[in-house]
Amino acid sequence: MSGRTLSNGRYELDKFPLARGGMGEVWLGRDIKLDREIAVKFIRFPDGTRDDEHIRRFVRESRITARLEHPGVPAVYDVGWTRTVVPSW
């Protein structure tokens, strides 16, 4: 692990993102409190500034995905935001 942490040290991220796409990046990491592997998705703002509509769609996607139970759909356990940006951006 890299030592990059989120949510007051609860989540620790790997050194590099797992994947990058049009909406953002996915990082592997660890939930320190529950001792389990996690994936964390960060959204990217198209022009680099906060976009409330982009955030609204991301939260909506999180809520919809959290309701699904299927082996091909990742479980959602948390959603939130931070004022800092992951250094790779």
Side-chain angles (χ1 to χ4, degrees):
M1 292 286 167
S2 70
R4 287 189 196 122
T5 61
L6 301 169
S7 294
N8 296 320
R10 178 169 181 180
Y11 306 115
E12 187 175 65
L13 303 180
D14 285 350
K15 291 182 182 181
F16 303 103
L18 174 67
R20 292 185 175 134
M23 192 171 178
E25 295 181 342
V26 175
W27 290 67
L28 289 181
R30 186 133 206 97
D31 180 333
I32 303 302
K33 188 183 258 185
L34 297 177
D35 191 29
R36 67 177 169 197
E37 187 175 59
I38 60 166
V40 178
K41 183 176 183 178
F42 292 95
I43 59 172
R44 181 182 310 119
F45 299 115
D47 62 2
T49 59
R50 180 186 167 107
D51 178 349
D52 288 338
E53 178 61 21
H54 210 69
I55 293 169
R56 187 190 67 73
R57 285 184 297 175
F58 180 73
V59 171
R60 182 173 183 268
E61 173 189 291
S62 301
R63 289 178 176 161
I64 290 169
T65 305
R67 292 183 193 130
L68 301 175
E69 291 184 30
H70 186 278
V73 177
V76 175
Y77 295 103
D78 198 0
V79 64
W81 51 90
T82 180
R83 292 182 181 168
T84 60
V85 177
V86 176
S88 75
W89 289 355

